[in-house]
């Protein structure tokens, strides 16, 4: 497998499913439909394409097994040091970004994987270009970095609230594509997941936060304002998916109404990506071949 194009599966069934949950073909950045907005309504957030008809209990067992495999692959990535892995988790409030980090990456060593949660920029960050703070947090050689939200907030919130013009929006799409191309060409594999939930599922999850005192800290009144802008955000997501789904950093839309299936799908695809890198342990020191500890 060519490590320069790791976004495929050797399993034909997995490959077919994967392609069905991408916004469009990512084989070429010259496709005629390039930049065309994606209709998220065409993707069912309640679907469970990777569960193979298994029940929730079986899917949970599968996620645990995949998490163990990913732990071994992360260890190999850290030893190999030729690549870096950036995983982008983007989605609306309650889409399950925290849950994905716990369920998929929770078995990995903190030495080789870390999560970055992105919030509104600080005053110092606003004094620089909007990608300045992002670049400081991308993974180093052998590391996995998981973005909980990401630089895509800068083509969501400002767009929905009318803070930037359509021309500035297109300009930012071009900036992001060039930024991710640069990362890709210097050894960073960029894997992007849009956690896609329904408005009804979000309503239930927000209500759960209100009904459970131990989850009140997660509730932000601003979430309710954002919820009133649901259609606008869905449109903005569709625009960014169409404009930034590239051969070097493709998007996968993950149906996320089911928390277990969400983790199963993401873990499955990350395993495929890491396998495609054909990672290997570095050769040992020949001087140590016959060395005996006394």
């Amino acid at each position: 497998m060519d490590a320069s194009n790791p976004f495929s599966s050797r399993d034909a069934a997995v490959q077919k499913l994967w392609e069905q949950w991408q916004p469009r073909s990512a084989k070429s950045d010259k496709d005629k439909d390039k930049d065309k907005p994606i209709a998220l309504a065409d993707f069912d957030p309640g679907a469970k394409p990777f569960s193979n008809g298994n029940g929730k209990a079986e899917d949970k067992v599968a996620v645990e097994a995949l998490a163990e495999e990913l732990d071994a692959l992360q260890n190999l990535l850290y030893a190999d040091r030729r690549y870096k892995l950036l995983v982008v988790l983007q989605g609306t409030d309650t889409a399950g970004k925290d849950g994905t980090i716990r369920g998929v990456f929770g078995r990995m060593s903190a030495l080789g994987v870390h999560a970055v949660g992105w919030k509104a920029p600080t005053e110092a960050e606003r004094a620089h270009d909007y990608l300045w703070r992002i670049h400081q947090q991308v993974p180093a050689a052998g590391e996995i970095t998981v973005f909980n939200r990401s630089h895509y907030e800068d083509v969501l919130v400002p767009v929905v609230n009318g803070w930037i013009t359509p021309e500035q929006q297109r300009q930012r799409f071009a900036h992001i594509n060039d930024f991710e191309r640069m990362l890709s060409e210097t050894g960073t594999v960029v894997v992007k997941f849009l956690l896609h939930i329904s408005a009804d599922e979000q309503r239930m999850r927000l209500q759960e936060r209100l009904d459970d005192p131990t989850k009140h800290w997660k509730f932000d009144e601003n979430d309710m304002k954002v919820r009133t802008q649901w259609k606008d955000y869905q449109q903005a997501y569709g625009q960014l998916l169409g404009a930034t789904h590239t051969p070097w950093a493709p998007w996968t839309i993950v149906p996320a109404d089911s928390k277990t299936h969400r983790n199963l799908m993401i873990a499955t695809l990350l395993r495929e990506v890491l396998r495609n890198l054909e990672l290997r342990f570095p050769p040992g020191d020949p001087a140590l071949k016959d060395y005996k500890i006394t």
Side-chain angles (χ1 to χ4, degrees):
M1 178 63 64
D2 183 358
S4 66
N5 182 27
F7 310 110
S8 61
S9 174
R10 305 173 197 190
D11 184 319
V14 171
Q15 179 64 29
K16 183 177 180 180
L17 286 174
W18 196 350
E19 291 174 352
Q20 290 173 354
W21 289 93
Q22 291 187 326
R24 55 171 169 73
S25 171
K27 293 181 180 179
S28 171
D29 60 348
K30 297 180 181 179
D31 289 344
K32 64 178 181 178
D33 291 332
K34 182 179 180 295
D35 298 339
K36 182 179 179 181
I38 303 301
L40 272 177
D42 292 342
F43 296 86
D44 179 9
K48 300 178 182 179
F50 281 75
S51 68
N52 294 321
N54 295 328
K56 183 176 181 179
E58 289 82 358
D59 284 349
K60 281 189 173 182
V61 171
V63 171
E64 283 294 316
L66 284 164
E68 293 285 353
E69 283 190 71
L70 289 172
D71 177 42
L73 286 165
Q74 180 264 320
N75 185 53
L76 190 51
L77 177 76
Y78 191 76
D80 186 292
R81 298 294 232 224
R82 287 179 296 157
Y83 302 103
K84 317 139 193 175
L85 180 64
L86 174 61
V87 181
V88 173
L89 301 178
Q90 192 66 48
T92 61
D93 296 318
T94 76
K97 299 176 286 295
D98 290 343
T100 299
I101 292 170
R102 287 193 298 270
V104 175
F105 301 92
R107 297 278 184 173
M108 296 181 183
S109 166
L111 293 175
V113 61
H114 67 280
V116 180
W118 294 103
K119 298 183 179 180
T122 65
E123 183 177 350
E125 289 168 343
R126 287 196 300 271
H128 295 80
D129 68 87
Y130 66 96
L131 289 173
W132 175 79
R133 64 175 183 158
I134 305 297
H135 203 170
Q136 296 179 75
Q137 297 291 344
V138 298
E143 292 182 350
I144 297 175
T145 296
V146 187
F147 279 1
N148 181 335
R149 301 186 186 272
S150 67
H151 41 298
Y152 285 97
E153 292 295 306
D154 291 294
V155 285
L156 285 167
V157 179
V159 171
V160 170
N161 290 296
W163 298 340
I164 61 175
T165 67
E167 176 57 32
Q168 289 172 317
Q169 179 190 23
R170 289 190 292 271
Q171 188 180 57
R172 288 190 178 193
F173 288 151
H175 292 161
I176 289 171
N177 286 342
D178 288 342
F179 173 64
E180 291 177 347
R181 185 198 291 268
M182 181 274 293
L183 292 178
S184 175
E185 290 177 350
T186 53
T188 301
V189 180
V190 184
V191 188
K192 302 183 297 193
F193 296 108
L194 177 65
L195 309 187
H196 180 39
I197 65 170
S198 64
D200 284 343
E201 181 66 22
Q202 187 195 52
R203 177 186 57 78
M204 288 188 289
R205 293 182 186 182
L206 286 172
Q207 189 63 51
E208 286 176 0
R209 291 181 180 181
L210 286 172
D211 294 343
D212 184 349
T214 67
K215 294 183 178 180
H216 283 180
W217 65 273
K218 289 187 174 184
F219 189 82
D220 186 336
E221 289 188 11
N222 188 58
D223 293 345
M224 302 312 298
K225 175 188 175 183
V226 172
R227 182 167 166 79
T228 65
Q229 299 169 306
W230 180 270
K231 290 183 179 179
D232 293 332
Y233 271 99
Q234 294 293 290
Q235 182 180 3
Y237 273 115
Q239 291 171 339
L240 75 81
L241 287 170
T244 62
H245 180 61
T246 60
W248 56 89
W251 280 101
T252 300
I253 298 168
V254 179
D257 277 4
S258 166
K259 299 175 183 179
T260 301
H261 176 270
R262 173 201 71 212
N263 292 349
L264 175 64
M265 181 171 177
I266 291 174
T268 299
L269 298 181
L270 285 176
R271 179 186 62 181
E272 298 304 300
V273 169
L274 287 167
R275 281 178 172 177
N276 287 341
L277 298 180
E278 297 183 345
L279 301 167
R280 57 181 182 267
F281 288 110
D285 184 348
L288 299 178
K289 181 180 179 181
D290 299 316
Y291 195 90
K292 301 296 182 183
I293 305 296
T294 59

